[in-house]
Amino acid sequence: MSKVEMYVDNLPNIPWQDKPEGSVGPVWRYSDNPIINRNPVPGVARIFNSAVLPYKGEFIGVFRAEQIDGVPHLYLGYSKDGISWSFEKERIHFVNEAGEDFLPRYEYDPRLIKIDDSYYIIWCTDFYGASLGLAKTDDFKKFVRLENPFLPFNRNGVLFPRKINGRFVMLSRPSDSGHTPFGDIFLSESPDLKYWGRHRHVMARGYRQWWQSLKIGGGAAPIETSEGWLLFYHGVTGTCNGYVYSMGACILDKDEPAVVKYRPDSFILTPEMWYEERGFVGNVVFPCAALCDAATGRIAIYYGAADSYVALAFTTIDEIVDFIKKHDAANDDDKGSGIM
Ligand code: BMA
């Protein structure tokens, strides 16, 4: 029985491995990573930065599939165990609210979030440059594209899995349209997923913490716990050889999630393995989804590795919350405070 409760469903078939002896840090990798390798589908060179959810006793996911012309689109994938995946041969076909075809010029870094009985995909789309795209499905057959939430430029949109104080809530990272050398996490609310406002600054890149000194961005949909909302995110540092993307975790206030309760000064996973260090873009660990089991407190985190593979890592709610609290940068101004 966990000390910290997760307010999520039981997921007895969550992918899982126990923490290996001698493992460093609060998160450990699946021993057979990467779980998705190169050339997974004809015409697709790489799948990475992708999001999964439990569905009808098995698992379903929306995947960033980089085509052999280098352009990313979203593909649907299925798995019985959350580890071994099969994919549709064609990209997801969106329609607009009038039922007409809607096929974005590119689509990447999807998150998949269940709110009530519907599933929402939020991704980086083309809207005169990199912006957030949003779509809804109830059955993974018909995908209805909704209004783009924000003006350009923005990336890393992450919806909370339920309304808070009667409103949909989204994290995002205002950006430029290139390889953005800056960025903080903001929060916005909407009564209807169409009109967004009450924008808040959640947290800044951490100047004193060099691993996340350049930019940060939301990762997996926040997980509701008895301590607040647990957020896995990415933090980026700049080096003389380019950016390095690591994984971080923090806890946001339960009722006012623009307020950061605990934010550790250390990463929880950083590129170390060949599939994280080496690839189309080396040194990238990019979390986009987490599965949780309320009964055991187990968490399985899905992350993109080196813009080439999907990998899996594990933790438990007690282990990650202990780490976050123990390493909390309590007096750090960069922690963030829900500023308007
Ligand atoms: C960002 C996005 C991510 C990618 C990262 C590293 O700007 O494109 O999808 O993982 O760069 O290349």
Side-chain angles (χ1 to χ4, degrees), residues 49 64 108-109 245 281 284 286 307:
N49 299 3
R64 170 177 176 164
Y108 63 81
D109 296 357
Y245 284 67
V281 182
V284 179
F286 197 96
D307 287 13

Side-chain angles (χ1 to χ4, degrees), residues 48-49 64 108-109 155-156 173 178-180 215 234 243 245 280-284 286 304 306-307:
F48 56 99
N49 299 3
R64 170 177 176 164
Y108 63 81
D109 296 357
R155 289 191 177 94
N156 297 299
R173 211 270 306 287
H179 300 296
T180 319
K215 57 178 169 178
H234 66 264
Y243 295 172
Y245 284 67
F280 185 70
V281 182
N283 290 316
V284 179
F286 197 96
D307 287 13

Side-chain angles (χ1 to χ4, degrees), residues 125-189:
T125 201
D126 179 42
F127 178 38
Y128 298 88
S131 300
L132 298 182
L134 181 63
K136 175 181 177 177
T137 183
D138 293 329
D139 55 8
F140 290 96
K141 292 190 174 75
K142 185 177 179 197
F143 295 87
V144 181
R145 178 258 171 159
L146 307 175
E147 293 283 341
N148 291 341
F150 298 136
L151 294 170
F153 308 104
N154 203 308
R155 289 191 177 94
N156 297 299
V158 179
L159 285 167
F160 282 66
R162 69 165 174 84
K163 290 183 183 172
I164 302 172
N165 305 321
R167 298 203 189 91
F168 294 97
V169 182
M170 190 199 295
L171 300 173
S172 75
R173 211 270 306 287
S175 69
D176 66 12
S177 207
H179 300 296
T180 319
F182 61 87
D184 293 352
I185 299 179
F186 288 77
L187 179 145
S188 310
E189 299 180 357

Side-chain angles (χ1 to χ4, degrees), residues 97-140:
E97 288 172 272
E100 296 151 351
D101 290 349
F102 177 81
L103 292 170
R105 286 206 308 171
Y106 59 75
E107 308 136 284
Y108 63 81
D109 296 357
R111 273 67 164 190
L112 177 63
I113 297 110
K114 186 176 184 209
I115 307 176
D116 300 328
D117 291 325
S118 295
Y119 296 84
Y120 296 89
I121 306 170
I122 181 160
W123 72 93
C124 180
T125 201
D126 179 42
F127 178 38
Y128 298 88
S131 300
L132 298 182
L134 181 63
K136 175 181 177 177
T137 183
D138 293 329
D139 55 8
F140 290 96

